[in-house]
Amino acid sequence: MDLEKQPQQPVAPAGPAPAGPEPVGIRASDADRDRIADILREAMAEGRLTADEHAERVDLVYRAKTVGELEPLVRDLPAAGPAPGRPTASPYSYGPEAPAGPAENLVAVFSSSTRRGRWRVGGRTNAFALFGSVEIDLTEALFGQRLTVINATSIFGSVEVKVPENISLRGSGTGIFGNFEVDTLESADPEAPVVVVNGYSVFGNVEAKPKRGKLIANLHQQLRKHLGR
């Protein structure tokens, strides 16, 4: 006897698919760009990227139009965030961040310009010396952020940067018939300030080095006292 054909049972609809990575062709949002920029900033602070590499990639981040253009910029870097077993650092380890604003400019043309003493360092400083000299002394400065970048240009002049012995100091630059010298330092404290000096000299001198015997201690307390908090 032939088997009676049974009507085909409808297939139950599948549940929602698990969330996966965003399609590479999707338009990038401001949050996507900020996430990639954060990873690049951490990589520079840790010494994984030079100042020039960081600047080049950040420029590409804010030119990118899709998620697919962003991801290759951090493919060779660890994701942002604390390493396993490492406590999360306070976002205000140096006190409240200063409001975003233009870089501080120190210019010396047939003259001299000096920044020293107890002052709050911004995230970016431009130093330009033309037949003159610029001195930046950070040994008593208050750091409102972990990463500080100094762009130094010397043409027939000199730019000198002095830092405490217990911070991290890095640099990248060129001397053309002149001298560009940065004494690299790596602090034992992973949360110590990082100062990056980059630029160039033409028939001049750019120098960054620690000042012997000068240390920064109790960064958080000093900044809070300075701000009256």
Side-chain angles (χ1 to χ4, degrees), residues 4-224:
E4 185 178 354
K5 293 183 179 180
Q6 299 294 327
Q8 189 175 11
Q9 297 297 322
V11 178
E22 293 178 298
V24 294
I26 197 169
R27 299 284 292 192
S29 67
D30 288 341
D32 293 326
R33 295 186 183 91
D34 289 344
R35 175 177 60 84
I36 299 299
D38 286 343
I39 295 175
L40 294 175
R41 183 172 59 249
E42 281 298 313
M44 180 180 176
E46 293 170 358
R48 299 179 191 274
L49 294 177
T50 67
D52 288 342
E53 290 171 331
H54 174 264
E56 180 181 353
R57 294 196 192 192
V58 167
D59 181 62
L60 293 174
V61 164
Y62 291 102
R63 291 174 183 267
K65 298 188 181 300
T66 67
V67 172
E69 294 175 76
L70 291 173
E71 295 303 332
L73 299 176
V74 293
R75 188 171 293 158
D76 58 344
L77 300 173
R86 177 177 167 183
T88 303
S90 165
Y92 299 115
S93 55
Y94 302 113
E97 295 285 347
E104 179 173 2
N105 297 310
L106 298 174
V107 179
V109 179
F110 290 96
S111 62
S112 63
S113 180
T114 303
R115 198 75 159 93
R116 62 158 67 102
R118 184 57 58 91
W119 58 292
R120 178 166 177 156
V121 183
R124 188 160 50 96
T125 298
N126 298 323
F128 177 78
L130 174 63
F131 290 99
S133 64
V134 175
E135 180 186 352
I136 303 175
D137 189 337
L138 302 176
T139 56
E140 296 181 16
L142 298 166
F143 291 84
Q145 64 289 314
R146 185 173 178 226
L147 177 63
T148 298
V149 178
I150 298 175
N151 299 311
T153 302
S154 172
I155 302 174
F156 291 97
S158 68
V159 176
E160 184 179 7
V161 180
K162 299 175 183 177
V163 302
E165 290 186 305
N166 58 336
I167 74 167
S168 293
L169 174 64
R170 301 172 188 147
S172 175
T174 303
I176 303 172
F177 295 105
N179 178 57
F180 185 98
E181 183 178 354
V182 175
D183 290 351
T184 303
L185 288 175
E186 288 299 330
S187 174
D189 180 357
E191 299 305 323
V194 177
V195 175
V196 176
V197 179
N198 50 44
Y200 64 93
S201 67
V202 180
F203 290 100
N205 180 63
V206 174
E207 185 177 89
K209 61 183 180 181
K211 190 171 182 179
R212 184 165 298 182
K214 290 292 185 178
L215 303 174
I216 290 183
N218 301 320
L219 288 169
H220 186 50
Q221 288 184 350
Q222 288 183 8
L223 189 58
R224 289 178 67 86

